[in-house]
């Protein structure tokens, strides 16, 4: 890959000197900004686990009965160990061989070897059992017969397991941007994981993700001409890399690229399978309801994109997608806007409010038929973006279980947050935020110009107003928004960690860790 991580934005945002990365001989790894709960070192300590030492690496075991994402993450971990130490670990879903050390990764209830350790009291999972995306990691003596010492990573669910695995990668010095930013890890002769147990609780914001947008000049031509010319598009091969990045950043949600230069996400049937393999929750943008990119709606063949004059066609258009994708993990955008990111066509403002409430009812009827008889149990968001906020302020009634997803002004300042009464809604609230924007009155596509301090101020305010169900950020075509994207998603995992925040220190540590 030839795309390079940009540091121009850092030079714009701070004049402080570069933080120096530790030399390869340093015992402590230069990762002050990591969110990993695991502690890695190049030297052993009492009871520590030798992930790699003396030219050998601990084998990594997962279960064939576990989710596909666990195999994917375990494979990436083996590659990461090799990238750091030059030694490729054995990766296996078979029975462990006798040996001094071994790594075991798995999800509660999905990995027989780990479930046996739990039953025998060798590892305590009480802090993560039944939780959302949590994990525990522990150095365990005699985890299975014939193995003297194990490093065991146990997820409460499939994403919790993947996050635990990638947390280990980050602890040993592998950046989340190892592929997207060509960030080569510092070579180490040995990696030792400190003894003890480590717990990462559930992320505070339940759904955290990115919106790939305005891909016309960056991501689309790069994918078509450089990365995946056989597909000549942003297809499954590219999305595999996008979804791995999300896992490394401990995110779980994606609005896919949707401009007309790109084929709609679901035109390629394998895309939704890849998303499920990587355990990524899929959605669709603020103006594309029910997982359907509006570029799929051909008005020449299907008539106008109007619920006033063409209801049955539009209804069936939505129903077809939910019928094909409803078995997967999705977060459904409901409502309706114009076909090209414009306002709803037809009727007065008052009539549009009435029509939107009819649309809500019909969309929830589809969800009840295709996903769950009780649509209140199907995750949904309503995004009052641009003119839709005015309709909401006129008295539009959104079903109580639907998440209100507040929006910034396209330049980083949130327009409205929940009142005390709205904060009582069972669906809660979230935020759709911009780190990239194409439109009036000013585009900013080529450089991420929103300082982390602005993101911090606005998103902490959103958190304090209980907008913490869903956070998604428009990152354009991913590059050059690395710093902003990582900070936004790290903030979403644990806002209280950033209650006291120094932008200069964050940028110094980020650059020192990355370069």
């Amino acid at each position: 890959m030839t795309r390079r991580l940009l540091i121009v934005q850092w030079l714009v945002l701070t004049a402080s000197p570069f933080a120096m990365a530790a030399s390869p001989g340093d015992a402590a790894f230069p990762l002050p900004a990591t969110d990993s709960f695991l502690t890695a070192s190049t030297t052993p300590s009492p009871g520590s686990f030798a992930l790699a030492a003396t030219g050998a690496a601990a084998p990594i075991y997962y279960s064939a009965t576990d989710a596909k994402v666990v195999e994917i993450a375990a494979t990436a971990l083996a590659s990461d160990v090799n990238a750091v130490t030059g030694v490729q670990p054995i990766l296996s879903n078979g029975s462990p061989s006798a040996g001094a050390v071994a790594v075991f990764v798995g999800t509660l209830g999905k990995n027989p070897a780990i479930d046996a350790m739990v039953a025998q009291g060798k590892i305590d999972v009480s802090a993560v059992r039944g939780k959302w995306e949590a994990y525990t990691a522990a150095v365990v003596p005699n985890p299975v017969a014939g193995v003297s010492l194990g490093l065991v990573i146990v997820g409460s669910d499939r994403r919790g397991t993947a996050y635990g695995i990638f947390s280990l990668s980050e602890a040993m010095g592998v950046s989340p941007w190892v592929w997207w930013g060509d960030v080569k890890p510092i070579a180490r002769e040995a990696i030792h994981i400190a003894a003890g147990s480590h717990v990462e609780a559930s992320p505070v914001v339940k759904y955290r993700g990115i919106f790939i947008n305005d891909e016309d000049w960056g991501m689309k031509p790069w994918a078509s001409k450089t990365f995946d010319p056989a597909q000549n598009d942003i297809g499954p091969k590219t999305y595999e890399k996008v979804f791995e990045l999300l896992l490394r950043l401990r995110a779980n949600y994606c609005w896919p690229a949707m401009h007309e230069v790109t084929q709609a996400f679901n035109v390629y049937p394998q895309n939704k399978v890849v998303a499920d393999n990587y355990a990524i929750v899929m959605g669709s943008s603020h103006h594309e309801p029910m997982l359907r990119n509006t570029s799929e709606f051909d008005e020449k063949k299907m008539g106008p994109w109007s619920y006033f004059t063409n209801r049955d066609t539009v209804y069936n258009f939505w129903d077809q997608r939910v019928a094909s994708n409803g078995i997967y993990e999705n977060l459904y955008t409901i409502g309706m806007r114009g076909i090209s990111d414009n306002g709803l066509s037809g009727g007065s403002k008052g009539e549009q409010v009435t029509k939107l409430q009819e649309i809500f009812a019909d969309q929830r009827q589809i969800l009840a038929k295709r996903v769950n008889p009780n649509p209140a149990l199907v995750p949904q968001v309503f995004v009052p973006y641009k003119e839709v906020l005015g309709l909401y302020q006129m008295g539009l009634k959104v079903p109580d279980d639907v998440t209100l997803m507040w929006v910034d002004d396209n330049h980083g300042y949130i327009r409205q947050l929940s009142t005390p009464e709205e904060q009582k809604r069972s669906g809660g609230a979230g935020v759709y935020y911009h780190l990239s924007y194409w439109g009036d009155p000013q585009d900013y596509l080529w450089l991420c110009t929103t300082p982390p301090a602005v993101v911090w101020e606005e998103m902490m305010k959103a958190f304090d107003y209980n907008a913490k169900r869903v956070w998604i950020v428009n990152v354009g075509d991913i590059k050059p928004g690395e710093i902003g994207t990582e900070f936004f998603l790290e903030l979403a995992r644990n806002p209280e960690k950033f209650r006291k925040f120094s932008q200069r220190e964050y940028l110094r540590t980020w650059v020192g860790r990355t370069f």
Side-chain angles (χ1 to χ4, degrees):
M1 188 179 68
T2 60
R3 312 191 81 198
R4 292 194 175 277
L5 183 72
L6 300 183
I7 63 170
V8 176
Q9 57 182 316
W10 177 80
L11 296 172
V12 170
L13 293 172
T14 177
S16 57
F18 278 93
M20 298 304 293
S23 69
D26 288 348
F29 286 13
L31 290 172
T34 183
D35 228 19
S36 174
F37 283 74
L38 298 165
T39 303
S41 173
T42 56
T43 57
S45 56
S48 63
F49 177 87
L51 184 61
T54 62
I60 301 169
Y61 292 98
Y62 66 97
S63 173
T65 60
D66 215 326
K68 180 68 175 179
V69 69
V70 175
E71 177 187 353
I72 290 170
T75 302
L77 174 63
S79 177
D80 291 346
V81 171
N82 183 50
V84 172
T85 67
V87 181
Q88 182 70 33
I90 294 171
L91 180 67
S92 173
N93 62 9
S95 299
S97 301
V101 293
V103 178
F104 299 87
V105 298
T107 309
L108 276 176
K110 301 293 185 181
N111 184 304
I114 289 177
D115 289 343
M117 295 178 211
V118 173
Q120 294 163 15
K122 294 182 177 181
I123 184 167
D124 182 4
V125 297
S126 59
V128 300
R129 187 184 294 278
K131 304 295 185 181
W132 174 268
E133 298 179 350
Y135 76 83
T136 186
V139 175
V140 177
N142 305 309
V144 299
V147 177
S148 301
L149 196 65
L151 174 60
V152 185
I153 298 175
V154 188
S156 61
D157 54 26
R158 59 179 182 160
R159 279 188 293 274
T161 304
Y163 296 162
I165 293 169
F166 282 120
S167 184
L168 176 58
S169 288
E170 194 171 344
M172 66 185 185
V174 179
S175 166
W177 303 96
V178 60
W179 190 86
W180 280 93
D182 300 324
V183 182
K184 186 177 180 180
I186 295 174
R188 312 286 184 184
E189 292 184 357
I191 303 171
H192 297 270
I193 306 300
S197 60
H198 316 267
V199 173
E200 185 167 2
S202 301
V204 172
V205 177
K206 186 171 186 178
Y207 297 102
R208 313 159 309 282
I210 66 171
F211 175 23
I212 300 170
N213 194 214
D214 307 323
E215 70 275 12
D216 306 47
W217 303 281
M219 192 171 184
K220 169 58 167 65
W222 163 76
S224 297
K225 298 176 183 178
T226 303
F227 183 61
D228 192 9
Q231 187 73 70
N232 193 31
D233 203 356
I234 301 173
K237 182 179 177 182
T238 304
Y239 275 112
E240 284 185 346
K241 293 299 185 181
V242 173
F243 298 152
E244 181 182 319
L245 173 66
L246 291 179
L247 293 177
R248 287 182 182 273
L249 293 170
R250 265 83 96 200
N252 62 8
Y253 183 39
C254 183
W255 289 355
M258 40 66 69
H259 276 207
E260 291 187 357
V261 298
T262 308
Q263 288 277 19
F265 181 79
N266 285 287
V267 165
Y268 303 114
Q270 189 63 21
N271 275 348
K272 62 180 179 289
V273 178
V274 169
D276 187 59
N277 286 345
Y278 281 77
I280 299 301
V281 181
M282 291 306 300
S284 51
S285 76
H286 55 87
H287 76 102
E288 298 181 301
M290 308 296 279
L291 306 181
R292 293 226 69 156
N293 296 125
T294 49
S295 62
E296 298 177 80
F297 194 90
D298 187 345
E299 290 189 293
K300 292 180 180 179
K301 296 179 180 179
M302 304 171 75
W305 175 254
S306 170
Y307 223 68
F308 285 94
T309 63
N310 198 17
R311 174 198 174 275
D312 290 350
T313 302
V314 176
Y315 180 99
N316 290 332
F317 177 73
W318 292 332
D319 184 58
Q320 291 163 7
R321 177 52 37 75
V322 181
S324 64
N325 288 42
I327 62 171
Y328 299 104
E329 200 173 359
N330 303 303
L331 180 50
Y332 295 88
T333 299
I334 67 169
M336 188 176 185
R337 293 186 69 220
I339 199 164
S340 298
D341 200 6
N342 298 314
L344 194 65
S345 61
S348 65
K349 295 297 183 184
E351 290 169 334
Q352 289 180 358
V353 169
T354 301
K355 185 59 64 175
L356 273 172
Q357 291 182 175
E358 176 189 330
I359 289 169
F360 292 155
D362 284 353
Q363 290 170 335
R364 288 164 69 82
Q365 182 184 71
I366 292 171
L367 295 174
K369 179 174 63 174
R370 302 295 188 184
V371 183
N372 191 307
N374 182 0
L377 300 179
V378 181
Q380 300 158 65
V381 296
F382 172 69
V383 189
Y385 181 60
K386 290 189 175 180
E387 82 293 333
V388 183
L389 179 59
L391 299 178
Y392 178 77
Q393 291 168 338
M394 288 177 63
L396 175 65
K397 302 300 182 185
V398 180
D400 189 74
D401 56 89
V402 174
T403 302
L404 293 176
M405 203 164 180
W406 303 114
V407 187
D408 68 320
D409 62 355
N410 301 315
H411 291 78
Y413 296 92
I414 297 172
R415 297 179 66 188
Q416 181 170 321
L417 288 166
S418 298
T419 65
E421 191 62 29
E422 287 167 332
Q423 290 181 40
K424 299 175 184 177
R425 300 175 72 261
S426 62
V431 176
Y432 165 41
Y433 196 80
H434 288 78
L435 290 174
S436 176
Y437 177 67
W438 181 20
D440 294 331
Q442 183 63 54
D443 307 327
Y444 55 104
L445 299 175
W446 312 111
L447 190 66
C448 183
T449 53
T450 305
V454 172
V455 178
W456 169 79
E457 182 173 6
E458 292 298 299
M459 296 311 298
M460 287 300 295
K461 178 169 60 179
F463 169 67
D464 288 337
Y465 276 77
N466 286 319
K468 52 189 179 184
R469 180 66 62 87
V470 186
W471 287 12
I472 197 164
V473 60
N474 187 325
V475 297
D477 60 4
I478 297 180
K479 301 176 70 70
E482 293 92 339
I483 293 175
T485 299
E486 184 170 352
F487 177 67
F488 180 93
L489 294 174
E490 190 176 2
L491 185 63
R493 292 201 300 278
N494 185 6
E496 287 294 351
K497 172 188 170 184
F498 293 92
R499 183 61 69 180
K500 295 181 179 180
F501 176 66
S502 166
Q503 173 173 275
R504 176 167 297 209
E505 183 59 27
Y506 182 84
L507 292 170
R508 283 173 59 90
T509 54
W510 193 95
V511 173
R513 176 173 60 106
T514 304
F515 298 104

